[in-house]
Amino acid sequence: MPRRDGRNDDDLRPVTIVPGFARNCAGSVLYTCGGTTLLVTAQIAEGVPPFLEGKGVGWLTAEYAMLPGSTPTRVSRRTDGRATEIQRLIGRSLRAVVDRQALGPWTVHVDCDVVNADGGTRTAAITGAYVAVALGLRNRLGPERAAAVLKDSVAAVSVGIVEGRPVLDLDYSEDSRADVDANVVRLGSGGLVEVQGTGEGGVFSRAQLDALMDLAEAGIDRLGVIQRDAIGG
């Protein structure tokens, strides 16, 4: 049976990426996935944090926030435990594809701001942030050096078991009642960066986990095509 929004179980929500949305940043995208929209920017500056000074390597750091009007109830402008956990996930995911030696003593600052939330904000942030970083490196350091810095691509998607069915890319109505909820972060070449899975309404079997991973892998393959189109190669 189709889902509430008419999708099949293995369908992504419609994804659009608008590159260069924030004109003052080296790299930026307006990333929309169904009812979830984020503004993601990447700024590249000379210098590194004190713990990396003199080591000849660069750094990437990320921040994540829900804007006050992104949900029906106003979100406070403060960093809470959830936001901290998500921005650490974003940073880890992007550092998995950045050759910090090739980057040299530069820092990539990634900011992910949720404009409208309808589920999957952390996975959308990672997928959109990769595009913003790729564009930012190309514009700030030049195409040749950017290609040396980015070793791979990275994208993420949510999967879950809703009403006994494994489904891909949950919106909020599905996420809020899912028996199992998971987020999968994977490189374009296939390596897994992180898998977060929780039995919200009970336990799940190995067979169900395998089904969820198959859905996630197929979804990330499709997201990779969308990312490449947005970057332009």
Side-chain angles (χ1 to χ4, degrees):
M1 291 179 60
R3 295 148 75 179
R4 181 185 64 88
D5 57 5
R7 286 184 292 151
N8 294 322
D9 294 348
D10 59 352
D11 285 342
L12 292 168
R13 290 177 287 175
V15 174
T16 59
I17 304 177
V18 181
F21 191 81
R23 288 177 292 178
N24 290 328
C25 293
S28 69
V29 299
L30 186 71
Y31 185 95
T32 300
C33 176
T36 291
T37 301
L38 295 93
L39 173 61
V40 186
T41 60
Q43 294 178 300
I44 296 94
E46 291 187 79
V48 292
F51 68 92
L52 290 176
E53 287 181 355
K55 297 184 179 179
V57 297
W59 187 242
L60 182 147
T61 184
E63 294 190 17
Y64 166 98
M66 304 270 287
L67 296 183
S70 60
T71 64
T73 302
R74 183 183 184 277
V75 179
S76 176
R77 289 184 185 273
R78 60 183 176 83
T79 301
D80 57 16
R82 175 181 178 274
T84 299
E85 184 266 326
I86 291 174
Q87 63 193 31
R88 287 175 177 168
L89 170 65
I90 297 166
R92 287 195 302 272
S93 300
L94 293 169
R95 286 193 295 272
V97 299
V98 170
D99 185 330
R100 293 167 50 211
Q101 193 78 40
L103 177 59
W106 294 70
T107 296
V108 182
H109 297 274
V110 177
D111 288 282
C112 305
D113 291 298
V114 180
V115 178
N116 196 75
D118 186 26
T121 61
R122 73 184 66 195
T123 54
I126 292 166
T127 305
Y130 169 75
V131 178
V133 169
L135 293 172
L137 289 170
R138 181 183 295 178
N139 291 332
R140 190 74 168 87
L141 305 180
E144 186 174 330
R145 188 168 169 197
V149 171
L150 280 179
K151 303 178 292 184
D152 207 333
S153 62
V154 63
V157 75
S158 65
V159 286
I161 297 176
V162 182
E163 297 177 351
R165 297 156 54 191
V167 295
L168 176 68
D169 193 13
L170 283 63
D171 63 19
Y172 178 76
S173 70
E174 294 172 325
D175 183 69
S176 62
R177 57 193 173 88
D179 295 321
V180 176
D181 180 23
N183 299 298
V184 179
V185 186
R186 201 204 74 187
L187 304 183
S189 59
L192 291 168
V193 178
E194 193 147 343
V195 178
Q196 301 175 336
T198 305
E200 302 283 357
V203 299
F204 53 102
S205 68
R206 174 62 182 269
Q208 287 174 314
L209 176 60
D210 289 344
L212 291 175
M213 291 300 299
D214 288 344
L215 281 175
E217 297 249 37
I220 288 171
D221 285 340
R222 297 201 291 275
L223 288 171
V225 174
I226 297 169
Q227 288 175 317
R228 288 192 294 275
D229 288 344
I231 295 167

